[in-house]
Amino acid sequence: MKFSDWGPILVALITVAGGIFQARRARPMTREIVKQDAELLALLPEDSEARRILAAHIDETVRKIVEGEDERTRDLSGVLFWTSFLTLAVFLVVVAAERGGYWWFLCLPAAVGWLLGAPMAVQDATLRRRDAGGRPV
């Protein structure tokens, strides 16, 4: 595979990474929502039923934020392990594309590596409560 063949691959990877970044950033963070709710609470009349409901919701959300900050983690070793599977899968496909012929059979273990690595890397990268071994609780 020539160096010029990597251009479309790099553009595709940058596009996918940018899309993932934008999708994750588009959602407002929980603290921002609580701040907006608190501003809305200040605008509601004192004797309103909606004010009591919103105040209870804000209290519950803040309690969850404070309790959950210390408990939710990522499993870095799992992310690195499964990312190595993804890297190996890409390497096998590149070798198969360069050599052709029977080398295309390398796409089979590459597919298995990709099918195992992608969901597991996402699972380990997601913030969750975990036990001492790093497994989700």
Side-chain angles (χ1 to χ4, degrees), residues 27-55:
R27 294 178 289 172
M29 303 301 284
T30 307
R31 291 178 187 262
E32 293 171 3
I33 294 171
V34 170
K35 182 179 176 184
Q36 293 171 357
D37 287 348
E39 292 170 358
L40 179 62
L41 182 67
L43 298 174
L44 292 173
E46 290 291 330
D47 58 345
S48 171
E49 176 67 23
R51 182 179 178 86
R52 287 189 292 276
I53 293 171
L54 186 57

Side-chain angles (χ1 to χ4, degrees), residues 32-115:
E32 293 171 3
I33 294 171
V34 170
K35 182 179 176 184
Q36 293 171 357
D37 287 348
E39 292 170 358
L40 179 62
L41 182 67
L43 298 174
L44 292 173
E46 290 291 330
D47 58 345
S48 171
E49 176 67 23
R51 182 179 178 86
R52 287 189 292 276
I53 293 171
L54 186 57
H57 174 71
I58 291 171
D59 288 342
E60 180 181 337
T61 304
V62 169
R63 192 174 306 113
K64 285 180 183 178
I65 290 172
V66 171
E67 290 173 356
E69 279 182 342
D70 295 334
E71 297 176 355
R72 296 172 32 174
T73 60
R74 291 182 173 90
D75 183 13
L76 182 60
S77 62
V79 171
L80 294 175
F81 178 75
W82 293 111
T83 303
S84 69
F85 263 61
L86 298 177
T87 305
L88 179 63
V90 170
F91 174 75
L92 290 175
V93 170
V94 168
V95 168
E98 284 181 350
R99 300 200 177 166
Y102 286 110
W103 288 91
W104 281 107
F105 283 114
L106 287 178
C107 290
L108 294 175
V112 171
W114 190 266
L115 291 174

Side-chain angles (χ1 to χ4, degrees), residues 20-31:
I20 291 170
F21 177 75
Q22 287 298 327
R24 291 185 56 87
R25 184 63 189 131
R27 294 178 289 172
M29 303 301 284
T30 307
R31 291 178 187 262

